[in-house]
Structures are given as C-alpha cells and as structure tokens.
C-alpha cells in the first residue's frame, strides 16, 4: 500500500516550452501533497505544499508563476513548469501524506532536461 | 543551527557490519520521526516511522528515538551491498486538531557504502 506514481519519469523539452508533471496517490487519498526539487548529490528542496481544493503554498524563493501547482482531487496533483529554461533542469519529486496520517510517501521522481 | 543535523558522510563499511546512522534536532515539537532510503536517481522510500521515544524494529532495521537528547538513530544489522544508498531522516510535529504544522523537516542525508 501507499504507492505514489509520477508521470512522466523523464522528459526532455526545448527552452521556452511548458512541461506538466503528474503525481498520483494510487491506493490512498491525500489531502496534502508536496513538490520537491533535487540537484545531484544534494538534499531535497521543498518547493511547495499542495492542498486539495486550495492554492498551493510556495517556499521562499520559488516563483509561483513559473511553477504552477494544481491539486484538483484527493489523488492527483500536477506541477507545470512554464517557459522552461536550462537552469530548470533537475529531478522533481512529489510526495503525499495519507489523509489523517503523518508519514510521507514519495513518488519515483521526474527527471527534467531543458535544452 | 539547522533544525535537523545529519552527517552527509560518506560512511563506508564492510559487508555484514552493523551500521549506525544518526540525526540530531533542535525543535522540541517534533514528535514523529521517519527514515528514508534513496537510491541514485530514485525517489526516497519510507523505511520506518515512529512516534516519540523508544525503539522500533523491522527486520534488519531498528529505529531509535531519544527525545531527551533530541537524537535519533537507524541501525542496520548484517549490512549488504544492496543497502548502499543515501539515508535521510525526517521529523515533524503531529498534526493537531487545530491543524498544526505537519510539514516534515529533512536532514541532508547520509551516503552509505557497503563494500563486499
């Protein structure tokens, strides 16, 4: 149980285009999901907290207009990287907390490369 | 001082050794403690989670929490090369009825290498 999926697992896009990454909780409902970014050999960096039915809460320094987050249902959150640039290339990981619980389950990650 | 401190390593041990991974924290509100394992280019995998002080065992893994010292540990017995990964500790306050903070705070991770 407690499986989180991400799609796509890997994406390459051209500079200036937008990319959408989906995060799904497959066997539980999640009122809250999180989006992280991770550079090679570095720790997780929390980008935003996504709450179902309300606006996401962004961490300091994360541009909300560039990283659009939508949490439309209790099992789906999406991250859209708008007008992507090479410096947006990174490993993006989502996670979800089952409603009423405290432990966090992570997706497998999405590797974004912007050329 | 960061809320959660974790030595990044790398920690290199021979196969079969007992591994001790540790984190210290400063926020006394933390009540929920988690350990994750992350292989390269993969998302973190939840290994163990526990409330408050005490020990919890699961197979070769034992999680230990000492709230008086604000110190948590993960022990791995009979370590295997397949245990080579980065281990992250995480902790949070328990969500209160009024909706108190529950966003986990992560350590930076310890890189473990188990060599044959």
């Amino acid at each position: 149980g407690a499986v989180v999926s991400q799609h796509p697992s890997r994406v390459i896009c051209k500079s200036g285009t937008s990319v959408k990454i989906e995060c799904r909780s497959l066997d539980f409902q999640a009122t809250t999901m999180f989006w992280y970014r991770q550079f090679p050999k570095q720790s997780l960096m929390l980008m935003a907290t996504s709450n179902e039915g309300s606006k996401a809460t962004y961490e300091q320094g994360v541009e909300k207009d560039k990283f659009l987050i939508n949490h439309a249902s209790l099992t789906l959150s999406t991250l859209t990287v708008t007008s992507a640039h090479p410096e947006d290339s990174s490993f993006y990981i989502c996670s979800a907390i089952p409603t009423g619980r405290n432990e966090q389950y992570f997706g497998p990650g999405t590797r974004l490369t912007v050329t | 001082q960061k809320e959660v401190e974790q030595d990044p390593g790398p920690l290199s041990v021979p196969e079969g050794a007992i591994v001790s991974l540790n984190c210290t924290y400063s926020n006394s509100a933390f009540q929920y403690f988690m350990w994750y394992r992350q292989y390269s280019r993969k998302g973190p995998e939840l290994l163990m989670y526990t409330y408050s002080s005490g020990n919890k065992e699961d197979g070769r893994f034992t999680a230990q929490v000492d709230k008086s010292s604000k110190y948590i540990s993960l022990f791995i017995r009979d370590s295997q090369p397949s245990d080579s990964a980065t281990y992250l500790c995480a902790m949070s306050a328990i969500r209160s009825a009024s909706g108190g903070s529950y966003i986990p705070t992560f350590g930076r991770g310890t890189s473990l290498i188990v060599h044959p």
Side-chain angles (χ1 to χ4, degrees):
Chain A
V3 178
V4 177
S5 71
Q6 272 184 251
H7 178 79
S9 58
R10 181 175 295 189
V11 58
I12 301 172
C13 70
K14 292 186 177 180
S15 187
T17 61
S18 295
V19 173
K20 179 185 284 189
I21 303 170
E22 290 188 349
C23 177
R24 292 181 186 271
S25 56
L26 298 185
D27 51 2
F28 63 94
Q29 293 186 331
T31 307
T32 303
M33 291 183 170
F34 302 93
W35 287 96
Y36 292 85
R37 186 172 179 176
Q38 189 175 37
F39 292 103
K41 298 190 177 182
Q42 294 194 22
S43 189
L44 301 166
M45 185 189 83
L46 180 64
M47 298 175 67
T49 302
S50 166
N51 292 297
E52 187 267 338
S54 63
K55 290 184 178 181
T57 303
Y58 290 82
E59 295 299 302
Q60 192 172 12
V62 178
E63 299 174 59
K64 61 180 67 176
D65 294 330
K66 181 167 185 61
F67 298 100
L68 300 178
I69 292 172
N70 184 281
H71 194 152
S73 76
L74 287 171
T75 59
L76 173 65
S77 177
T78 60
L79 168 68
T80 301
V81 183
T82 62
S83 187
H85 289 281
E87 56 265 32
D88 297 326
S89 299
S90 189
F91 192 51
Y92 292 87
I93 313 174
C94 73
S95 69
I97 296 180
T99 302
R101 305 271 292 271
N102 284 274
E103 69 272 20
Q104 196 176 36
Y105 295 92
F106 284 86
T110 296
R111 182 156 304 280
L112 170 64
T113 302
V114 184
T115 60
Chain B
Q1 181 189 10
K2 292 183 179 179
E3 274 194 301
V4 178
E5 297 277 1
Q6 185 176 13
D7 188 333
L11 176 62
S12 182
V13 302
E15 182 176 357
I18 296 174
V19 175
S20 173
L21 303 164
N22 312 295
C23 289
T24 59
Y25 63 96
S26 57
N27 189 341
S28 58
F30 289 148
Q31 296 284 337
Y32 204 80
F33 305 91
M34 293 157 279
W35 282 97
Y36 291 86
R37 175 175 63 194
Q38 185 177 22
Y39 293 111
S40 181
R41 297 172 179 260
K42 301 289 185 183
E45 171 194 2
L46 180 63
L47 286 176
M48 300 188 72
Y49 59 93
T50 182
Y51 288 97
S52 200
S53 286
N55 291 0
K56 183 176 182 179
E57 188 174 319
D58 183 1
R60 294 187 296 115
F61 299 93
T62 299
Q64 189 176 82
V65 174
D66 182 349
K67 288 187 65 186
S68 62
S69 301
K70 294 189 175 65
Y71 189 89
I72 69 170
S73 300
L74 177 71
F75 298 97
I76 307 175
R77 291 183 297 280
D78 188 26
S79 56
Q80 303 294 311
S82 59
D83 294 327
S84 299
T86 296
Y87 290 80
L88 299 109
C89 64
M91 46 199 81
S92 70
I94 293 178
R95 188 197 318 231
S96 67
S98 60
S101 176
Y102 54 89
I103 299 175
T105 301
F106 282 82
R108 60 179 298 183
T110 298
S111 175
L112 172 66
I113 301 168
V114 181
H115 51 86

